[in-house]
Amino acid sequence: MIPHTPSGPAAARHGWVRAVATALAALIAMGVTAALGLWGAGAADLPDGAFPRVVAATVVTAVGGRVELSGDAGGLAGTRAGMTVIPLSVTLVGALVTAAGFLRPLRHRAVAGGPELAGWAARIAVVWLAALLGLSLAARQTFTLSLGDDTLDDLGDLFGVRPQVGFTTDVPPTLLVGLVWLAGVLALALLVARGAPLPPRLLRFQESVRPAAYAMVVLLLVCVALGVLIGLGVAVTRGRAAETLAVVLLGLPNLVWLAFTIGLGARWEGRVEGPFGLPMPHVLDEVLRGPDTATLSLGTLAEHDGRVWWLLVADAGMLLAAAFVMAVRSPAGTPAWRHAVRMAVALVLTVLMICLVGRISARYGLSVLGVGDLGGLGLSGELFLRPVLWTSLGFAALWGLATGFLGGLMAHGGAGHGRVP
């Protein structure tokens, strides 16, 4: 039987109107999430009506866009500023809404032609790029900073030292990276959704790729769901609802996926210095804050709080469950060693993604007459967090092999194994 590629009225179900709805729904959802999170963080009080521009900048960075910081402190002073961080809560919301809109008109079909899928994705991409261009042009603002008290402000006026910091979007790289982000989301949606149609030439890959991709996405979403529950518990018991809301709506995946990799044995390096801080549990700030680069691992964190060993237990349970789900969704008769290899590859790619998007760096400094940073005034600081990549990927491979093999054995012994055609 030759697969039928719809055209005319059937293809109109995913025409331009639906493309506009999909792209705008994703950006609106991201904007609302960013706005609520920034409101919880106190950004609604920013001067000069800057709040909408900060929201736009947050959405831009959520899809990997490049927002540049700039500084100016007058003729006798200089500033340095830079920041790289992805608000992954906003990213996750946008990815889920985009994937749902992309898959909705394709459901209940087994096969779709490559040109049809490419045309549908291209229509979404055109609308997406136009909307992202508008956000990029809107994401720019300049703020004037106070030197600390009235006396210092008067001296600043006398010597022409009036520090300013602002941000603007580098539009071409933002559009390019935003397009790559969209393509990745759409491709992952086709890989994960069992009911999504594939071109005939790719059907032979769905048995090996789809179960593993589905298991990894569910694993990451379970981590986020557990983080939400913990956040709600913190808000109820400690009464810091606004701060907790800001963390949940802006950077919850940054925290829970970091914790997930640490539970696997991964190592991260970082430092927090000056007025900067990370929206993270106190134990992480204790380890990172200091003059030297610190290492985040199960061992270093356990020196401050022994409860972090529960991360190891939680990771083991979640990975074993993910491996079982992957094996159950795989064809009957797949050997356990093949489940192990597929789980290892999928987990290594997942941890690699977390390491790439979870990096954080920020720096701001003010110097007068070329002499030093005014750190004593709280106008200088630095923070960064980066993974030790090969250690992280190595542990991911070991965990994937072990849990994939065990999950395959469990599925072989279960009554439901082999139901997936």
Side-chain angles (χ1 to χ4, degrees):
M1 180 179 295
I2 300 175
H4 173 65
T5 301
S7 59
R13 291 180 303 180
H14 46 78
W16 284 104
V17 173
R18 191 173 287 274
V20 171
T22 298
L24 293 186
L27 290 173
I28 290 172
M30 296 172 75
V32 171
T33 303
L36 291 175
L38 291 169
W39 172 81
D45 298 328
L46 290 172
D48 303 327
F51 183 68
R53 297 180 179 87
V54 174
V55 172
T58 304
V59 174
V60 167
T61 57
V63 297
R66 184 175 176 180
V67 175
E68 298 179 341
L69 296 182
S70 60
D72 182 21
L76 300 179
T79 59
R80 296 193 305 274
M83 183 175 66
T84 301
V85 62
I86 300 177
L88 290 179
S89 292
V90 182
T91 304
L92 182 60
V93 169
L96 292 176
V97 175
T98 301
F102 174 69
L103 294 175
R104 183 173 177 79
L106 301 174
R107 66 192 188 282
H108 308 313
R109 295 171 54 193
V111 180
E116 178 194 357
L117 292 176
W120 172 217
R123 284 189 284 273
I124 295 177
V126 170
V127 181
W128 172 263
L129 288 177
L132 188 59
L133 175 62
L135 282 176
S136 301
L137 296 176
R140 54 191 66 208
Q141 181 71 30
T142 301
F143 305 97
T144 300
L145 303 180
S146 172
L147 289 174
D149 57 33
D150 294 339
T151 302
L152 290 174
D153 282 335
D154 292 340
L155 290 175
D157 292 335
L158 178 63
F159 289 102
V161 178
R162 178 58 68 184
Q164 292 182 329
V165 63
F167 61 86
T168 185
T169 302
D170 193 350
V171 177
T174 295
L175 296 181
L176 177 60
V177 176
L179 183 60
V180 172
W181 179 89
L182 177 66
V185 169
L186 300 185
L188 186 60
L190 285 176
L191 287 178
V192 171
R194 182 188 298 179
L198 290 175
R201 293 182 179 180
L202 299 181
L203 288 176
R204 66 180 183 272
F205 296 111
Q206 67 177 346
E207 294 181 353
S208 59
V209 176
R210 267 188 171 166
Y214 176 84
M216 291 300 101
V217 170
V218 170
L219 175 66
L220 294 178
L221 293 180
V222 167
C223 290
V224 174
L226 292 175
V228 171
L229 294 177
I230 295 173
L232 293 177
V234 171
V236 172
T237 58
R238 300 185 182 180
R240 305 170 66 176
E243 295 181 12
T244 303
L245 177 69
V247 172
V248 169
L249 294 178
L250 293 177
L252 183 62
N254 299 71
L255 292 179
V256 296
W257 294 346
L258 168 68
F260 170 71
T261 62
I262 292 176
L264 296 179
R267 299 165 66 89
W268 292 68
E269 294 178 342
R271 181 168 54 133
V272 179
E273 181 184 24
F276 287 120
L278 295 176
M280 58 174 50
H282 183 63
V283 61
L284 298 183
D285 191 75
E286 283 184 341
V287 175
L288 292 176
R289 191 169 293 279
D292 300 320
T293 299
T295 299
L296 283 182
S297 66
L298 281 174
T300 58
L301 293 175
E303 294 176 0
H304 294 78
D305 191 340
R307 292 175 297 179
V308 299
W309 288 109
W310 284 104
L311 290 176
L312 180 64
V313 178
D315 279 10
M318 290 190 298
L319 285 174
L320 193 57
F324 177 75
V325 169
M326 181 194 73
V328 168
R329 294 172 68 93
S330 299
T334 303
W337 68 265
R338 187 164 292 173
H339 289 306
V341 172
R342 291 173 181 174
M343 183 71 179
V345 172
L347 189 57
V348 166
L349 293 176
T350 300
V351 171
L352 176 61
M353 181 274 296
I354 295 174
C355 291
L356 293 178
V357 302
R359 299 167 181 260
I360 298 174
S361 66
R363 174 169 176 79
Y364 179 74
L366 171 67
S367 61
V368 178
L369 297 176
V371 180
D373 283 345
L374 300 182
L377 301 178
L379 294 175
S380 175
E382 179 182 16
L383 75 84
F384 68 88
L385 185 65
R386 58 177 179 246
V388 181
L389 190 59
W390 295 113
T391 301
S392 305
L393 299 183
F395 275 108
L398 293 176
W399 276 95
L401 289 172
T403 57
F405 188 81
L406 292 175
L409 293 179
M410 293 168 56
H412 278 296
H417 180 63
R419 290 181 181 173
V420 178

